Amino acid sequence: MPTPLGHALGGIAAGALVGRAEETSGDRSRSLRWSALFAAVGMLPDLDFLVGAHRGASHSVGAVLLITGMAVLVAPRRPRLWAAIGAAYATHVLLDWLGTDTVAPFGLMALWPFDGAFHISPVELFYPVCRQYWLVECWLSLARAVTVELAVLGPLALLGLLRAGSRRRRSSRPPTATS
Ligand SMILES: [Zn+2]
């Protein structure tokens, strides 16, 4: 399962790319606030650690639909925002599905409420998060995990931020005279 950094990058990438002009352009501080929101939404499912039900319903298409529905209620006239929030949350489910799991039950309840089984990808793209912080090997493992996440998700997050930046520049450019 990816680290919080990987999930934040996934949330930023999906939110910025799906949200596009409506939600991520504007002044730089507004764009940063949107990126922070998408990063937080990307990390949100792991709050289930607090209730001791990790990788259950919070890591599912049902949760994606629920969070998207909440965005609809909060901002009823902003469909692009609904999609961006839903996409940012969905990246968490996708990235965990693609991660190596070392704790049973392996995988996540990705298809809940349609299916209560735990699912995991046959392709393990991301390393597990080591939590034995007193071991040197653990820190080496974390460094390897973060390196892979930065290599895979960093360019996507950067692309989303650059696209938002280019839209911001276009929208702030004064209109040109036409003949
Ligand atoms: Zn998770």
Side-chain angles (χ1 to χ4, degrees):
M1 305 290 163
T3 66
L5 173 67
H7 285 306
L9 291 173
I12 291 170
L17 289 170
V18 173
R20 298 178 50 183
E22 183 189 349
E23 308 304 340
T24 52
S25 62
D27 61 61
R28 188 179 300 272
S29 67
R30 181 170 181 246
S31 190
L32 282 174
R33 283 198 301 274
W34 282 116
S35 297
L37 173 67
F38 296 140
V41 171
M43 295 187 287
L44 188 62
D46 280 344
L47 285 182
D48 65 2
F49 267 119
L50 300 177
V51 293
H54 191 44
R55 292 183 278 108
S58 63
H59 288 58
S60 68
V61 291
V64 172
L65 294 174
L66 183 65
I67 197 91
T68 305
M70 289 170 67
V72 172
L73 292 176
V74 171
R77 295 174 188 233
R78 302 176 77 172
R80 185 72 77 174
L81 177 63
W82 312 340
I85 294 289
Y89 196 98
T91 61
H92 191 109
V93 179
L94 175 66
L95 298 181
D96 272 0
W97 180 70
L98 287 167
T100 303
D101 196 355
T102 56
V103 180
F106 303 113
L108 52 155
M109 289 171 56
L111 300 180
W112 181 89
F114 310 106
D115 176 1
F118 281 70
H119 300 272
I120 191 162
S121 167
V123 178
E124 296 177 341
L125 185 56
F126 299 105
Y127 288 102
V129 177
C130 176
R131 294 191 170 81
Q132 297 166 302
Y133 303 114
W134 57 92
L135 298 175
V136 173
E137 293 80 15
C138 181
W139 289 97
L140 294 174
S141 170
L142 281 173
R144 185 178 59 180
V146 167
T147 301
V148 170
E149 291 166 11
L150 285 172
V152 174
L153 301 167
L156 294 173
L158 190 60
L159 177 66
L161 293 175
L162 289 175
R163 288 188 59 180
S166 67
R167 286 191 296 271
R168 184 171 59 240
R169 284 191 292 277
R170 276 202 303 274
S171 64
S172 62
R173 194 178 298 156
T176 54
T178 54
S179 57

